[in-house]
Amino acid sequence: MIRPLLFIVDKSIKVDYYLKNDMRENFFKNLKCTLCGASYSPEKPHNLCQCGAPLFARYEIGELKKKLERNSFDKKNLSIWRYKELLPLQDEKEIVSLGEGFTPLIQANDLAEELKIKKLLIKDESQNPTSSFKARGMSAAVSMAKKYGIKDICLPSAGNAASALSAYCAEAKIAAHIFVPEKIEPEILLECRVFGSDIRKVKGAISDCANAMQNDRNYKNWFDLSTLKEPYRIEGKKTMGYELAEQLNWKLPDVIIYPTGGGTGLIGMWKGFDELEKLGFIDKKRPRMISVQSEGCAPIVKAFQQGKEISEFWENSKTIASGINVPKALGDFLILKVLRESKGSAVSVKEEEILKSIKDISQSTGIFPCPEGAATLAGLKKLKQKGLVREDDLVVLFNTASGLKYVNTLKPLL
Ligand SMILES: *Cc1c(COP(=O)(O)O)cnc(C)c1O
């Protein structure tokens, strides 16, 4: 659980072979539709399935099972690429990495005591490049785009995905065309500009940005990297699940509380757990997966409570937690499936509760969380009151980004 002091990202260093029998192979098989099951060859880039649903990467798990052990992951690699065999690229030369992933799991003992929970851990994703977990997905997706020779990528983003994409595209020499809400955090806008992205401001929420992007006359010349409209961002994000398993000695926690917007983190982790179970690295026991949203934008919570399989568009959404200001997630049916399969839940929290939780986490752990991350603590308090989290549970909260990216929004805390 302790982060090593020295971590050099040096692409000239040849990392030792890590497979049992020194074989370097690609175990990435194909892409499969999450709805109709159609499969696609990864030889060329893909967006959605013809039926309109997201595609997931599939691996030769049977072959991998023969070759890979829990401890054969590359211990020297402290990034998501530690798990290369389970990612779409293996060749170091093709990987676009800024050292994303392998973030610490920090014990929040004081908060645990206060809330009367056996053990509370915070997965601190603010320690990623560009200070959010979005870096994980962008490393995988931009690496694949570069391999395919893609020159232009477009994306609608509420913020953190925009700066992460900007950084990885700068490294990969790919042009990034990003549509952001005009109310984007100035810190994040600055990052995008510094990295040299083409930024368009749009009135409204991320859904309006997506519409503006699709109506742009150049849209057809760009590769669309929208959440779940492209299959590799989720591959990067599933590594959060691998890391949790490895950091907890291959025993998953009882509860994972995740601030849910597009849902890729949640869906990705669930996919990751599936793969680990098929490999025999973890047993059947899964965490209860819990989505937290703001009362100002809670389409998943509403659909969960109503027992629906898909969510409804949330009109006039508003929250300081911009990363979870997603009125309608493309993968809503996948999120809801994970919540139910895991016997989890969904809760919404008030804006004041989010602000208060920022201080609570900061003052008790030394982590300065983003509003989305703070929402998970506010959610946990509610869940504990309702008896949905119990005293003997091991609970993991996700702090998905740094509070420093929200200075303007968090002025009331000054
Ligand atoms: C994007 C984002 C989220 C939502 O993530 P999903 O995995 O798409 O649900 C949460 N927190 C922050 C800080 C984000 O940037």
Side-chain angles (χ1 to χ4, degrees), residues 131-134 157-161 188 227 233 237 240 258-267 321-326 335 370-373 398-402 406:
S131 312
S132 87
F133 83 106
K134 292 288 196 302
S157 167
N160 288 313
I188 298 178
T227 298
R233 284 176 67 188
K237 289 176 179 177
M240 293 191 291
Y258 191 85
T260 305
T264 49
L266 201 89
I267 302 165
S322 49
I324 54 175
N325 189 351
V326 180
I335 303 171
C370 58
E372 297 83 348
F398 268 82
N399 175 40
T400 39
S402 167
Y406 299 75

Coordinates of all heavy atoms in Angstrom, one line a residue, residues 131-134 157-161 188 227 233 237 240 258-267 321-326 335 370-373 398-402 406, ligand 1:
S131 N -3.9 14.7 -12.7 CA -4.6 14.6 -11.4 C -6.0 14.0 -11.4 O -6.8 14.4 -10.6 CB -4.7 16.0 -10.7 OG -3.4 16.6 -10.8
S132 N -6.3 13.1 -12.3 CA -7.6 12.4 -12.2 C -7.4 11.0 -12.8 O -6.5 10.7 -13.6 CB -8.7 13.2 -12.9 OG -8.7 12.8 -14.3
F133 N -8.4 10.2 -12.5 CA -8.4 8.8 -13.0 C -8.6 8.7 -14.5 O -8.4 7.7 -15.1 CB -9.4 8.0 -12.2 CG -10.8 8.1 -12.8 CD1 -11.4 7.0 -13.5 CD2 -11.6 9.2 -12.6 CE1 -12.6 7.2 -14.1 CE2 -12.8 9.4 -13.2 CZ -13.3 8.3 -13.9
K134 N -9.0 9.8 -15.1 CA -9.3 9.8 -16.5 C -8.0 9.5 -17.3 O -8.1 9.0 -18.4 CB -9.8 11.2 -17.0 CG -11.2 11.5 -16.5 CD -12.3 10.7 -17.2 CE -13.7 11.3 -17.0 NZ -14.2 11.5 -15.7
S157 N -16.4 16.8 -23.1 CA -16.0 16.5 -21.7 C -16.4 17.5 -20.7 O -16.4 18.7 -21.1 CB -14.4 16.4 -21.7 OG -14.0 16.4 -20.3
A158 N -16.7 17.1 -19.5 CA -17.1 18.1 -18.5 C -15.8 18.7 -17.9 O -15.8 19.7 -17.1 CB -17.9 17.4 -17.4
G159 N -14.6 18.1 -18.1 CA -13.4 18.6 -17.6 C -12.2 17.7 -17.5 O -11.3 17.8 -18.4
N160 N -12.2 16.7 -16.6 CA -11.0 15.9 -16.4 C -10.6 15.1 -17.6 O -9.5 14.9 -17.8 CB -11.2 15.1 -15.1 CG -11.1 15.9 -13.9 OD1 -10.2 16.7 -13.7 ND2 -12.1 15.7 -13.0
A161 N -11.6 14.6 -18.3 CA -11.3 13.8 -19.5 C -10.6 14.7 -20.5 O -9.7 14.3 -21.3 CB -12.5 13.2 -20.1
I188 N -8.8 23.6 -15.4 CA -8.8 22.5 -16.4 C -8.7 23.1 -17.8 O -7.9 22.5 -18.6 CB -10.0 21.6 -16.2 CG1 -10.0 20.9 -14.8 CG2 -10.1 20.5 -17.3 CD1 -11.2 20.1 -14.5
T227 N -17.0 8.7 -24.0 CA -17.2 7.6 -23.0 C -18.0 6.5 -23.6 O -19.2 6.7 -24.0 CB -17.9 8.2 -21.8 OG1 -17.1 9.2 -21.2 CG2 -18.2 7.1 -20.7
R233 N -10.9 3.1 -23.6 CA -10.8 3.9 -22.4 C -11.2 3.0 -21.2 O -10.6 3.0 -20.1 CB -11.8 5.1 -22.4 CG -11.2 6.2 -23.3 CD -12.2 7.4 -23.4 NE -12.4 8.1 -22.2 CZ -13.3 9.0 -22.0 NH1 -14.1 9.4 -23.0 NH2 -13.4 9.6 -20.8
K237 N -9.4 1.9 -17.5 CA -10.1 2.1 -16.2 C -10.3 0.9 -15.4 O -10.3 0.9 -14.2 CB -11.4 2.9 -16.4 CG -11.2 4.3 -16.8 CD -12.4 5.0 -17.2 CE -12.2 6.5 -17.6 NZ -13.4 7.1 -17.9
M240 N -8.2 -0.1 -12.2 CA -8.5 0.3 -10.8 C -8.9 -1.0 -10.1 O -8.6 -1.1 -8.9 CB -9.6 1.3 -10.8 CG -9.2 2.7 -11.4 SD -10.3 4.0 -11.0 CE -11.7 3.6 -12.0
Y258 N -18.5 4.6 -5.5 CA -17.9 5.3 -6.7 C -18.8 6.4 -7.1 O -20.0 6.3 -7.3 CB -17.7 4.2 -7.8 CG -16.9 4.7 -8.9 CD1 -15.5 4.6 -8.9 CD2 -17.5 5.3 -10.0 CE1 -14.7 5.1 -9.9 CE2 -16.7 5.8 -11.0 CZ -15.3 5.7 -11.0 OH -14.6 6.2 -12.0
P259 N -18.2 7.6 -7.4 CA -19.0 8.7 -7.9 C -19.3 8.5 -9.4 O -18.4 8.4 -10.2 CB -18.1 9.9 -7.7 CG -16.7 9.4 -7.7 CD -16.8 8.0 -7.2
T260 N -20.5 8.3 -9.7 CA -20.9 7.8 -11.0 C -21.4 8.9 -12.0 O -22.4 9.6 -11.7 CB -21.9 6.7 -10.9 OG1 -21.4 5.7 -10.0 CG2 -22.2 6.1 -12.2
G261 N -20.7 9.0 -13.1 CA -21.1 9.9 -14.2 C -21.5 9.0 -15.4 O -22.6 8.5 -15.5
G262 N -20.5 8.9 -16.3 CA -20.7 8.0 -17.4 C -20.6 6.5 -17.0 O -21.1 5.6 -17.7
G263 N -20.1 6.3 -15.8 CA -20.1 4.9 -15.3 C -18.9 4.0 -15.7 O -18.9 2.8 -15.3
T264 N -18.0 4.6 -16.4 CA -16.9 3.7 -16.9 C -16.0 3.1 -15.8 O -15.6 2.0 -16.0 CB -16.0 4.4 -17.9 OG1 -15.6 5.7 -17.3 CG2 -16.7 4.7 -19.2
G265 N -15.8 3.9 -14.8 CA -15.0 3.3 -13.7 C -15.7 2.1 -13.1 O -15.1 1.1 -12.9
L266 N -16.9 2.2 -12.8 CA -17.7 1.2 -12.2 C -17.8 -0.1 -13.1 O -17.5 -1.2 -12.7 CB -19.1 1.7 -11.9 CG -19.9 1.0 -10.9 CD1 -19.6 1.6 -9.5 CD2 -21.4 1.1 -11.2
I267 N -18.2 0.2 -14.3 CA -18.3 -0.9 -15.3 C -17.0 -1.5 -15.6 O -16.8 -2.8 -15.7 CB -18.9 -0.4 -16.6 CG1 -20.3 0.3 -16.4 CG2 -19.1 -1.5 -17.7 CD1 -20.7 1.2 -17.6
A321 N -20.0 19.0 -8.6 CA -19.2 17.9 -9.0 C -19.3 17.6 -10.5 O -20.1 16.8 -10.9 CB -19.7 16.7 -8.2
S322 N -18.6 18.4 -11.3 CA -18.8 18.4 -12.7 C -18.6 17.1 -13.4 O -19.2 16.8 -14.4 CB -17.9 19.5 -13.4 OG -16.6 19.4 -12.9
G323 N -17.7 16.3 -12.8 CA -17.4 14.9 -13.4 C -18.6 14.0 -13.4 O -18.7 13.0 -14.1
I324 N -19.5 14.3 -12.4 CA -20.7 13.4 -12.4 C -22.0 14.2 -12.8 O -23.1 13.8 -12.5 CB -20.9 12.8 -11.0 CG1 -20.9 13.8 -9.8 CG2 -19.8 11.8 -10.8 CD1 -21.2 13.2 -8.5
N325 N -21.8 15.3 -13.5 CA -22.9 16.0 -14.1 C -23.2 15.4 -15.5 O -22.9 16.0 -16.5 CB -22.6 17.5 -14.2 CG -23.8 18.3 -14.6 OD1 -24.8 17.8 -15.0 ND2 -23.6 19.6 -14.5
V326 N -23.7 14.2 -15.5 CA -23.9 13.5 -16.8 C -25.4 13.1 -16.8 O -25.9 12.2 -16.1 CB -23.1 12.2 -16.9 CG1 -23.4 11.4 -18.1 CG2 -21.6 12.5 -16.7
I335 N -24.4 0.1 -16.0 CA -24.2 0.5 -14.7 C -25.2 -0.1 -13.8 O -24.9 -0.7 -12.7 CB -24.3 2.1 -14.5 CG1 -23.4 2.8 -15.4 CG2 -24.2 2.5 -13.1 CD1 -23.6 4.3 -15.5
C370 N -11.5 15.9 -4.8 CA -12.4 16.6 -5.7 C -13.8 16.5 -5.1 O -14.1 15.6 -4.3 CB -12.3 16.0 -7.1 SG -12.8 14.3 -7.2
P371 N -14.8 17.3 -5.6 CA -16.2 17.2 -5.1 C -16.8 15.8 -5.3 O -17.5 15.3 -4.5 CB -16.9 18.3 -5.9 CG -15.9 19.2 -6.3 CD -14.6 18.5 -6.5
E372 N -16.4 15.2 -6.5 CA -16.9 13.9 -6.8 C -16.5 12.9 -5.7 O -17.2 12.0 -5.3 CB -16.5 13.4 -8.2 CG -17.0 14.3 -9.3 CD -16.1 15.5 -9.6 OE1 -15.3 15.9 -8.7 OE2 -16.3 16.2 -10.6
G373 N -15.2 12.9 -5.4 CA -14.6 12.0 -4.4 C -15.2 12.3 -3.1 O -15.5 11.3 -2.3
F398 N -13.7 6.0 -3.6 CA -12.8 6.5 -4.7 C -12.7 8.0 -4.8 O -13.7 8.6 -4.9 CB -13.3 5.9 -6.1 CG -12.6 4.6 -6.4 CD1 -13.1 3.4 -5.9 CD2 -11.5 4.6 -7.3 CE1 -12.5 2.2 -6.2 CE2 -10.9 3.4 -7.6 CZ -11.4 2.2 -7.1
N399 N -11.5 8.5 -4.5 CA -11.3 9.9 -4.8 C -10.8 10.0 -6.2 O -9.6 9.8 -6.5 CB -10.3 10.6 -3.8 CG -10.1 12.0 -4.2 OD1 -11.0 12.7 -4.6 ND2 -8.8 12.4 -4.2
T400 N -11.7 10.4 -7.1 CA -11.4 10.3 -8.6 C -10.5 11.4 -9.1 O -10.0 11.3 -10.2 CB -12.7 10.3 -9.4 OG1 -13.6 11.2 -8.8 CG2 -13.3 8.9 -9.3
A401 N -10.3 12.5 -8.4 CA -9.4 13.6 -8.9 C -9.0 14.5 -7.7 O -9.5 14.3 -6.6 CB -10.1 14.4 -9.9
S402 N -8.2 15.5 -8.0 CA -7.7 16.4 -7.0 C -8.6 17.6 -6.8 O -9.1 18.1 -7.8 CB -6.3 16.9 -7.4 OG -5.9 17.9 -6.5
Y406 N -10.4 22.3 -8.9 CA -11.8 22.9 -8.7 C -11.7 24.2 -7.9 O -12.6 24.6 -7.2 CB -12.7 22.0 -8.0 CG -13.0 20.7 -8.8 CD1 -12.0 19.7 -8.9 CD2 -14.2 20.5 -9.4 CE1 -12.2 18.5 -9.6 CE2 -14.4 19.3 -10.1 CZ -13.4 18.3 -10.2 OH -13.6 17.2 -10.9
Ligands
LIG1 C1 -15.4 11.6 -15.0 C2 -15.4 11.7 -13.6 C3 -16.2 10.9 -12.8 C4 -17.2 10.0 -13.3 O1 -16.6 8.8 -13.8 P1 -17.3 7.7 -14.6 O2 -16.4 6.5 -14.4 O3 -17.4 8.1 -16.0 O4 -18.6 7.4 -14.0 C5 -16.1 11.0 -11.4 N1 -15.2 11.9 -10.9 C6 -14.4 12.7 -11.6 C7 -13.5 13.6 -10.9 C8 -14.5 12.6 -13.0 O5 -13.7 13.4 -13.7

